[in-house]
Structures are given as C-alpha cells and as structure tokens.
C-alpha cells in the first residue's frame, strides 16, 4: 500500500514538475516537495471536492472530498475514479467524454450523476481542466460541487409553480362556466317570467275603461318598471357572459365593451381592432376579453383619465392588446404590489397562454397595459 502511495506521490511530483518545465523552469526535488505541500494546503482551503487524475487513476484529492463523497482521501489515492460514479459503464463514458473534450479545450463545466460512499446518488457540477498545456500526459484535475439539494429545490419550485398555474386555470375556467350557467338560468327562468308579466300588464292596461285614469296610470308605471327590469336582467346576463363573445367573436365583444364603458363612465374610449376572430380559440378570446374588462375597470376606478385608447392587433402569430389612458399614471410600486389582485389576475391569465405583459405609468401622463399572447397554430413570422 505504501509502495503504491509513494508511486502516486511521485506521479504527482512529476505532474507538477512537468507543468513547471512547460513554464521553462528547472526545479530541485526539495523545491518540488515544498510546492506539493503548498499545493495541498491551497487545495484543502477550497470548499469543493477536487481530485487529480492520471489516466483514470486518482493521484490527489483534497479534504472536501470527504464532505461531498464520504470518502477519506487516503481511501481514494491510487484508485480508479469509477469510485465516484454510479457504475463502471457510466464512469467509462464520463471519462471518455472528459478526455475527448479536454483534447479540444483547456477546461469545461458539466453536470453528471455521481455516487456517495453510502450508496446515495448525487448530482455534481463538475469542472474539468487539463494539468499542463497539452493532454499528452493524460493528467486532469476535476472539481465537484454537489448540487443535488439545489436542483431538487429548483424542481420543487418549478413543480409548485406549475401546480399553482394549473389551479389558477382551473379556477378561472370553473368561474367562467359558473357565470355561463347562472346567465343561462337567469335568462330562462327570470327572462321568460318577466316577458309573460310584460304581456299581462299590457293586456290589463288594454282592458281598463278609459275613465279609470288612476288605474291606467298605475298599469302604465308597472309596464315601465317591468321594461326597466327586463333591461337590467339583460345587462346582468351580458356582464356574466358576454353573448357577443360567443356569437360574434372577440372583435365585436371588444368594440361593444368599449362603447358600454364610454356610456357608463363618460370617459372617451377609442378602439382600433385588427385581428381575425377565426384564429382565436374561444378560451383565449374569453381571457383577452376579461383582461380588457379589468383594465377598463381600473381606468374608471383609479386613473381619473378623460380618454382611453385600446388597440387589439394580430401580427406574426401574436395577439397584442394595448390599453392606454391619459390619467394620473400607475406607480411601479402599485403595479408590482403583491396585493394588486386585479393586475396579478391579468398576469396569470397571460402566463397561462404563454404570453407576456407590461404595465407602465408616467405621473400625470397616464398608464399603459400591454400584453402579447402567441396564437396557437399560427406560424410566427417575427
Ligand atoms: N389605469 C390606472 N391608473 C392609475 N392607477 C392604476 C391604474 N390601474 C391600476 N392602478 C393602481 O394599481 C392598483 C392595483 O390595481 P388592481 O387592479 O390590481 O387592484 P384594484 O383595482 O385596486 O382592486 P381589484 O382587485 O378589485 O382589481 C390600484 O389600486 C391602483 O392604485
Ligand atoms: Mg382592478
């Protein structure tokens, strides 16, 4: 064992000697021993595990090898580097990859599966470098960083993001379905009864003798009340589920919503729409419509604007919606506030369609919300 250790040590001295020779320096054996001691103390100060290989044999290892792989360095010196991998085949493959890559370049970094002494699989980020300028001596040094926990945490985070996105999509679709169901019921139950009532009241009015003026007057007011109630029911149904979105498509629904908004808020609403409804699937149309509704509601509630400009266009397989107002302007803090649930809702809807969103404001000049969503099945010409 000692013989092997001293042989390996000599190899290590040779490696160092070769490197110095390449640098054009002649050194004595004593000086080399000093340098090896210095090299060891530097290697031990590094937190990552480091091994030096000659062919596939380990000729040196630092202290951190124990932390990463569980091995004492003395156990590894002189052994094949296979010890650090999951099996011989994989180890051969990795070694082949290392040597062939290092022929072409001085260093490289990659991630490989490794194995701890206790049999656990670990994932390491490995940085390999040639010792010396050329690879003729087949000596390399490898740094191992255990990234198993980090990678697992990243994957957990990705998974929980995905679950949250799915949950949000599910909730939104359930909400749309529920709205559609309520709209249908109101229409069928309340709408039909009101129409019947409207006809009955009209009939009653017709039956009354003209000299019963106070009763005629009363039925007339009842007719007006029933008409107003029918209008309210229509409005509620349309708000729950804009029928034109189903019947006439996104373009008409956006134009209708803009007009409604203008009439109700008194804020001028200019719309420019240039997109082909047949390219936009129903759920995407609903998402864009709801986003448009939320931005307009925000303009009415927060902006103190006198005008708003909306553009819905389709370019190179991407649907763009931009809504700009001339109000007080949203601040960055408001736009990024984790309690801004309206804006978070827009961002989530856009995210579900793999789109992106920007919201910017300039003090007393206005706010712009702009979203881009790729249209599935449309080839991007961008
Ligand atoms: N067009 C706008 N102009 C100025 N400020 C705005 C505008 N839109 C949003 N804001 C600001 O951003 C904040 C967050 O908007 P968000 O829509 O997320 O929430 P909200 O409208 O207050 O409540 P809700 O959850 O009902 O939508 C608002 O409270 C407001 O201060
Ligand atoms: Mg809002």
């Amino acid at each position: 064992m000692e013989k092997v250790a001293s042989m390996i040590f000599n190899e290590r001295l040779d490696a160092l000697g070769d490197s110095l020779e390449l640098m054009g320096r002649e050194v004595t054996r004593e000086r080399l021993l000093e340098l090896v001691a210095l090299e060891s103390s530097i290697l031990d100060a590094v937190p990552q595990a480091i091994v030096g290989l000659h062919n596939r044999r380990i000729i040196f290892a630092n202290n951190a090898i124990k932390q990463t792989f569980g091995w004492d360095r003395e156990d590894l010196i002189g052994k094949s580097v296979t010890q650090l991998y999951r099996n011989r085949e994989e180890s051969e493959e990795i070694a082949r990859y290392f040597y062939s890559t290092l022929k072409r370049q001085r260093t490289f970094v990659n991630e490989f599966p490794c194995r701890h002494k206790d049999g656990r699989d670990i994932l390491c980020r490995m940085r390999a470098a040639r010792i010396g300028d050329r690879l003729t001596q087949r000596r390399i040094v490898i740094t191992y960083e255990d990234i198993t926990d980090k990678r697992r945490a990243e994957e957990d985070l990705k998974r929980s993001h995905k679950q949250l996105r799915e949950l949000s999509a599910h909730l939104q679709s359930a909400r749309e379905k529920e709205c559609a169901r309520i709209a249908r019921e109101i229409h069928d139950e309340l709408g039909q009864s009101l129409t019947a009532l409207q006809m009955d009241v009209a009939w009653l009015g017709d039956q009354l003798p003209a000299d019963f003026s106070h009763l005629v007057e009363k039925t007339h007011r009842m007719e007006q009340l029933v008409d107003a109630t029918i209008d309210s029911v229509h409005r509620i149904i349309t708000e729950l589920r804009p029928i034109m979105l189903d019947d006439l498509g996104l373009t008409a629904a956006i134009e209708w919503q803009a007009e409604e908004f203008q009439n109700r808020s008194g804020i001028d609403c200019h719309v420019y729409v240039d997109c082909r409804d047949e390219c936009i699937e129903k759920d995407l149309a609903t998402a864009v419509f709801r986003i448009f509704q939320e931005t307009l509601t925000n303009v009415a509630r927060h902006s103190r604007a006198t005008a708003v400009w909306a553009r819905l266009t389709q370019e190179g397989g991407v649907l763009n919606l931009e809504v700009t107002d001339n109000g007080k302007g949203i601040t960055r803090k408001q736009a990024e506030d984790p309690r801004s649930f309206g804006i978070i809702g827009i961002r989530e809807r856009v995210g579900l369609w793999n789109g992106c969103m920007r919201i910017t404001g300039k003090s007393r000049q206005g706010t712009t919300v702009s979203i881009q969503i790729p249209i599935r099945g449309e080839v991007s010409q961008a």
Side-chain angles (χ1 to χ4, degrees):
M1 188 65 210
E2 251 177 39
K3 211 169 136 212
V4 176
S6 89
M7 220 172 75
I8 301 282
F9 185 70
N10 283 334
E11 271 185 33
R12 189 173 165 193
L13 282 187
D14 286 349
L16 195 60
D18 286 353
S19 308
L20 287 166
E21 246 174 49
L22 281 171
M23 291 163 73
R25 304 224 178 126
E26 294 259 338
V27 276
T28 61
R29 185 173 165 80
E30 284 68 35
R31 183 70 187 128
L32 272 182
L33 289 172
E34 273 173 33
L35 287 173
V36 167
L38 175 67
E39 187 189 61
S40 296
S41 54
I42 294 172
L43 290 178
D44 283 341
V46 177
Q48 287 97 356
I50 301 175
V51 297
L53 300 184
H54 181 198
N55 282 322
R56 291 165 197 188
R57 215 148 45 119
I58 298 173
I59 55 171
F60 64 80
N62 71 345
N63 260 343
I65 201 89
K66 173 95 180 161
Q67 169 84 12
T68 309
F69 290 97
W71 293 100
D72 287 318
R73 70 168 126 191
E74 295 72 25
D75 295 336
L76 290 177
I77 306 290
K79 300 268 172 57
S80 161
V81 72
T82 310
Q83 304 272 357
L84 304 182
Y85 303 114
R86 298 195 293 197
N87 53 51
R88 177 166 290 277
E89 293 80 61
E90 225 167 67
S91 151
E92 298 276 322
E93 209 175 291
I94 294 172
R96 254 198 311 276
Y97 174 70
F98 271 39
Y99 280 103
S100 67
T101 311
L102 287 177
K103 258 187 212 157
R104 284 176 272 118
Q105 60 198 67
R106 207 183 155 77
T107 63
F108 75 89
V109 181
N110 213 330
E111 288 170 14
F112 289 101
C114 295
R115 178 152 292 169
H116 192 274
K117 188 183 175 188
D118 64 15
R120 258 185 306 125
D121 286 342
I122 56 176
L123 181 69
C124 286
R125 175 169 298 131
M126 289 155 63
R127 183 177 187 282
R130 306 194 289 239
I131 300 180
D133 255 358
R134 280 161 285 122
L135 200 56
T136 42
Q137 303 292 332
R138 298 188 66 74
R139 292 192 185 109
I140 63 176
V141 60
I142 308 175
T143 317
Y144 297 84
E145 184 191 352
D146 182 354
I147 54 166
T148 321
D149 292 344
K150 198 169 145 203
R151 184 50 47 85
R152 200 171 291 143
E154 281 168 9
E155 274 160 16
D156 284 351
L157 197 65
K158 252 192 235 157
R159 203 171 314 121
S160 76
H161 268 151
K162 189 165 169 269
Q163 280 170 347
L164 276 178
R165 270 204 310 274
E166 282 168 2
L167 178 66
S168 161
H170 173 73
L171 288 177
Q172 272 165 18
S173 123
R175 186 171 166 267
E176 291 298 341
K177 279 191 196 135
E178 189 59 8
C179 284
R181 190 187 64 76
I182 297 171
R184 214 172 30 245
E185 280 200 5
I186 294 179
H187 175 267
D188 294 353
E189 301 286 328
L190 225 58
Q192 279 168 18
S193 308
L194 282 170
T195 312
L197 195 62
Q198 188 186 38
M199 288 191 302
D200 284 354
V201 175
W203 177 85
L204 202 64
D206 290 345
Q207 305 307 308
L208 288 172
D211 50 342
F212 280 34
S213 62
H214 62 291
L215 288 183
V216 171
E217 174 71 8
K218 184 81 179 163
T219 45
H220 190 59
R221 278 213 303 277
M222 280 168 76
E223 266 182 89
Q224 282 174 338
L225 190 62
V226 174
D227 285 351
T229 313
I230 290 176
D231 282 351
S232 301
V233 166
H234 272 154
R235 190 176 47 74
I236 293 169
I237 292 175
T238 322
E239 271 171 15
L240 280 169
R241 177 75 209 169
I243 304 154
M244 55 269 299
L245 196 54
D246 294 332
D247 295 349
L248 302 174
L250 182 61
T251 312
I254 292 277
E255 282 166 347
W256 168 82
Q257 182 64 65
E259 204 180 314
E260 274 283 304
F261 169 80
Q262 180 166 290
N263 292 341
R264 237 185 292 153
S265 67
I267 301 172
D268 286 342
C269 189
H270 310 271
V271 233
Y272 173 77
V273 185
D274 180 17
C275 68
R276 281 172 286 134
D277 283 335
E278 66 276 11
C279 304
I280 302 161
E281 58 188 286
K282 200 171 150 213
D283 287 348
L284 175 57
T286 306
V288 173
F289 184 76
R290 293 294 186 210
I291 291 169
F292 186 54
Q293 278 184 320
E294 173 60 25
T295 50
L296 289 185
T297 308
N298 276 354
V299 172
R301 277 175 64 188
H302 310 293
S303 73
R304 289 197 229 122
T306 54
V308 48
W309 293 264
R311 279 175 70 85
L312 179 72
T313 55
Q314 182 183 341
E315 283 163 61
V318 176
L319 192 64
N320 306 292
L321 173 69
E322 193 173 277
V323 181
T324 303
D325 66 56
N326 64 353
K328 64 178 185 177
I330 193 171
T331 63
R332 182 191 274 256
K333 195 160 166 268
Q334 287 165 338
E336 289 171 5
D337 191 331
R339 285 162 305 172
S340 292
F341 295 115
I343 292 171
I344 292 173
I346 298 180
R347 196 164 275 130
E348 272 177 3
R349 277 204 154 99
V350 172
L352 285 173
W353 290 92
N354 297 320
C356 54
M357 172 206 182
R358 237 166 82 87
I359 172 158
T360 50
K362 261 196 183 160
S363 177
R364 280 181 280 155
Q365 289 183 40
T367 301
T368 298
V369 176
S370 88
I371 62 161
Q372 279 88 39
I373 295 179
I375 304 172
R376 274 190 221 146
E378 283 280 289
V379 183
S380 169
Q381 291 148 23

